[in-house]
Amino acid sequence: MPRPIQATIHTQALHHNLQRARAAAPDARVWAVVKANAYGHGIERAFEGLRSADGFALLDLDEAVRVRDLGWRGPILLLEGAFDARDLELCSRLNLWHTVHCQEQIDWLAAHKTHEPHRVFLKLNSGMNRLGFDPDEYRSAWTRLNALPQVDEISLMTHFSDADGPKGVAEAMQLFERVTHDLPGERTVCNSAATLRHAAGLPTDWVRPGIAVYGSAPDFPAHRAADWGLLPGMTLAAKLIAVRAIPAGASVGYGSAFVADKPMRIGTVACGYADGYPRIAPTGTPVLVDGVRSRTLGRVSMDMLCVDLTEIPTAHVGSEVTLWGRAANGAVLSIDEVAASAQTLGYELMCALAQRVPVTTD
Ligand SMILES: *Cc1c(COP(=O)(O)O)cnc(C)c1O
C-alpha cells in the first residue's frame, strides 16, 4: 500500500468559489489567477473547475503554454509581463495579453516584429512599490505605448497593497482614478480581498481573484472562508499509522517539546514537513481525526506528526486525519486556521504542497 497521505482537489468547490467572486463583482469579468501552478493545486487539475472564468492570469510563460495546451483559446494575462524581449515572440504566437510595468518592456515592444499587435495592461504603482509606473510617469508611458504599431489596445491596471487590511483601497484607488480618469481602456484593479470587500464600489472591468478561488479567506481572521461562502479547494488528508497510550510526564516527538500533564492517548500521522505541512506549527494546531476536531502535539517531523486522541476513543490505526480541507463526514478545517497557527497564510501552505504527495481530483 502506498504511504497513506493524499491531497484532493475539489473541482466543484473551485467552480463554486469562482462564482462567489463573480457574484461580488457582477458587472466585471473574472480572471482566475492560476500562477504558482494554480496556487499548488496544479493547473491541469484546477482547469476543469475554473473553465467558466473569462480568462486566466499567471506569470510563468511555461504556465501560459500549459493553459493553451489545455485547449483554452480565451484571454490569458501575464501579470508580470515579459521578462525579456524574446518573451514577446511567445506572446505573439499564443496571443497572450501582457502587463507592461517598466520602460524596458516598452523598449522591447518597440523593437518587436509582429503581424498581430498586442493587447497590453499598463500597470500603475499605487503604493506597493514593486512593479508599475509611478503616477508621474504613467501618462507618458501610455502615450509612448499608444504610438507603437505593436500595440492595439491598452488596458489600465494596478494592484493594491492593503485590500485585505484596515488601510483599505480608498487612497490607492483615488490615485488610480486621478492618473487614469481621462484615458480610454478597460480597468482591472481587484485581487481577491478587493473583490470580496470593495468591488461593489470600484469601477473595474475585470477582477483578478486568486486565493478566494481556492477557498481561503484573503482577510482571515477578520473573515473566515465560510463567511465569504468559500469552500476548500484542496484537502490534505493522511491516516493514523500508530496509536498509543502515554502516562503523565511522557514527552512526544523531537526535543520533548510536548510533555503530557495527564495520561493521554495519542496517534502518529503519516504527514510531515516533507509533505508541505509547516514544521513551525506548534502543539495545538488544529486537525480533524475522523472528522472530529483535535490538535497536534509536539514538533512536526519530516514524515510524521502526532495528534491528541484522548477525546476521540474510537480513533484507530487507519483513521482519517484531515490536515486541512474537508473530512469524509463533511467537517471542514480551514487551511487559514492551520496557517495562522503556523504564523503564515493559506497561500503559502497550498503553494508548498510537496511533490511527493499524491493528488487526485473529485
Ligand atoms: C497574485 C495576484 C493576484 C491575485 O491575488 P489574490 O490575493 O490571491 O487574490 C491579483 N493580481 C496580481 C497582479 C497578482 O499578482
Side-chain angles (χ1 to χ4, degrees), residues 33 35 39 59 79-80 123 130 157-159 190-193 208-212 218 347:
V33 179
K35 64 189 180 190
Y39 290 48
L59 39 88
L79 290 166
E80 296 181 354
K123 186 161 187 178
R130 297 188 312 191
M157 172 179 188
T158 195
H159 188 56
C190 293
N191 60 0
S192 295
R208 309 188 301 267
I211 195 71
Y347 293 78

Side-chain angles (χ1 to χ4, degrees), residues 121-355:
F121 283 67
L122 182 61
K123 186 161 187 178
L124 174 73
N125 170 23
S126 59
M128 181 87 94
N129 287 310
R130 297 188 312 191
L131 300 181
F133 290 91
D134 287 346
D136 61 346
E137 311 165 325
Y138 190 84
R139 298 180 67 93
S140 61
W142 187 91
T143 304
R144 204 178 153 214
L145 274 178
N146 193 43
L148 294 182
Q150 292 89 343
V151 171
D152 74 342
E153 193 172 339
I154 307 174
S155 302
L156 314 176
M157 172 179 188
T158 195
H159 188 56
F160 297 127
S161 58
D162 285 83
D164 56 331
K167 184 171 173 201
V169 302
E171 202 181 307
M173 198 57 211
Q174 259 174 25
L175 181 68
F176 182 78
E177 302 231 282
R178 177 166 64 72
V179 175
T180 63
H181 67 278
D182 58 347
L183 295 177
E186 292 189 331
R187 272 98 171 127
T188 175
V189 297
C190 293
N191 60 0
S192 295
T195 303
L196 295 174
R197 292 166 67 102
H198 308 290
L202 299 179
T204 188
D205 299 292
W206 292 83
V207 292
R208 309 188 301 267
I211 195 71
V213 163
Y214 303 101
S216 162
D219 56 352
F220 185 86
H223 291 95
R224 293 166 173 265
D227 297 337
W228 291 123
L230 302 172
L231 304 173
M234 177 195 290
T235 292
L236 178 61
K239 288 185 175 169
L240 290 177
I241 57 171
V243 171
R244 75 185 64 248
I246 58 170
S251 66
V252 177
Y254 285 117
S256 301
F258 176 80
V259 178
D261 62 359
K262 56 176 198 292
M264 294 178 73
R265 203 163 160 266
I266 70 169
T268 303
V269 184
C271 177
Y273 61 77
D275 301 300
Y277 194 88
R279 183 180 175 278
I280 196 180
T283 292
T285 301
V287 296
L288 305 176
V289 179
D290 283 335
V292 178
R293 202 174 160 102
S294 183
R295 57 176 183 143
T296 64
L297 299 175
R299 287 198 194 143
V300 174
S301 41
M302 181 185 284
D303 311 305
M304 290 174 264
L305 56 80
C306 291
V307 296
D308 189 352
L309 303 178
T310 311
E311 304 295 324
I312 313 176
T314 55
H316 54 87
V317 168
S319 285
E320 170 203 54
V321 179
T322 307
L323 289 316
W324 58 71
R326 197 172 70 219
N329 73 350
V332 166
L333 173 59
S334 157
I335 195 169
D336 299 323
E337 276 192 73
V338 180
S341 180
Q343 298 171 47
T344 184
L345 303 174
Y347 293 78
E348 189 176 8
L349 297 191
M350 49 181 83
C351 290
L353 182 73
Q355 199 72 46

